[in-house]
């Protein structure tokens, strides 16, 4: 009888244990800097200074898609894109509403990036990566 009771409540106990566990294990995670892609077509904060090796998490907090890119496809984008020698260009592709794109910066210098669909509206951001 006792055992049957335990089995009956096992799923419930499991659910409670899961609910009370820390949902994000931060014990071994690298530092994460958050930059929002905002509904007003701005990256924020920008400029953002980080340390080499840091990971930036770009969060789309608007209700439509954005990109994070240093890979220009127009002369205008080329003119407002920059990244240090030795670094590779990057392009997140479309990040849907509520989506996230993570990038780790391993080469120090200044990165000027843009959102492809909203470049013309001035959605351009700057990240300064300091050498450690
Ligand atoms: Cu955008």
């Amino acid at each position: 009888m006792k055992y049957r009771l335990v089995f009956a409540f096992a799923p419930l106990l499991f659910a409670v244990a899961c609910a009370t566990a820390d949902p994000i294990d931060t014990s071994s995670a690298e530092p994460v800097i958050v930059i929002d892609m905002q509904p007003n077509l701005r990256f924020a904060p920008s400029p953002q200074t980080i340390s080499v090796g840091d990971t930036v998490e770009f969060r789309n907090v608007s209700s439509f898609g954005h990109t994070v890119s240093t890979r220009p496809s127009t002369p205008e984008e080329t003119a407002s894109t920059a990244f240090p020698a030795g670094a590779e260009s990057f392009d997140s592709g479309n990040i849907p509403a509520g989506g996230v794109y993570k990038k780790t910066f391993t080469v120090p210098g200044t990165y000027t990036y843009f959102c492809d669909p909203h470049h013309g509206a001035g959605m351009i951001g700057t990240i300064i990566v300091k050498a450690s």
Side-chain angles (χ1 to χ4, degrees):
M1 192 64 191
K2 241 183 202 174
Y3 288 114
R4 267 191 203 162
L5 199 62
V6 169
F7 282 122
F9 283 98
L12 182 67
L13 290 171
F14 182 73
V16 168
C18 290
T20 55
D22 187 353
I24 300 167
D25 177 16
T26 54
S27 58
S28 62
E30 72 271 39
V32 169
I33 291 89
V34 173
I35 296 178
D36 285 342
M37 293 169 270
Q38 299 181 322
N40 63 355
L41 309 183
R42 292 292 178 269
F43 293 101
S46 176
Q48 171 70 60
T49 300
I50 66 173
S51 296
V52 71
D54 282 352
T55 296
V56 174
E57 187 171 291
F58 295 90
R59 292 183 183 171
N60 186 351
V61 297
S62 69
S63 58
F64 43 86
H66 294 285
T67 77
V68 181
S69 180
T70 59
R71 200 168 295 159
S73 56
T74 66
E76 292 77 19
E77 288 178 351
T78 302
S80 56
T81 305
F83 52 91
E88 287 186 23
S89 70
F90 60 90
D91 191 327
S92 65
N94 182 57
I95 305 163
V100 162
Y101 170 68
K102 279 190 185 186
K103 163 138 186 78
T104 301
F105 290 84
T106 56
V107 178
T110 299
Y111 296 72
T112 308
Y113 60 94
F114 59 89
C115 168
D116 190 43
H118 304 124
H119 173 268
M123 192 165 180
I124 300 166
T126 301
I127 294 173
I128 298 144
V129 181
K130 297 276 187 200
S132 55

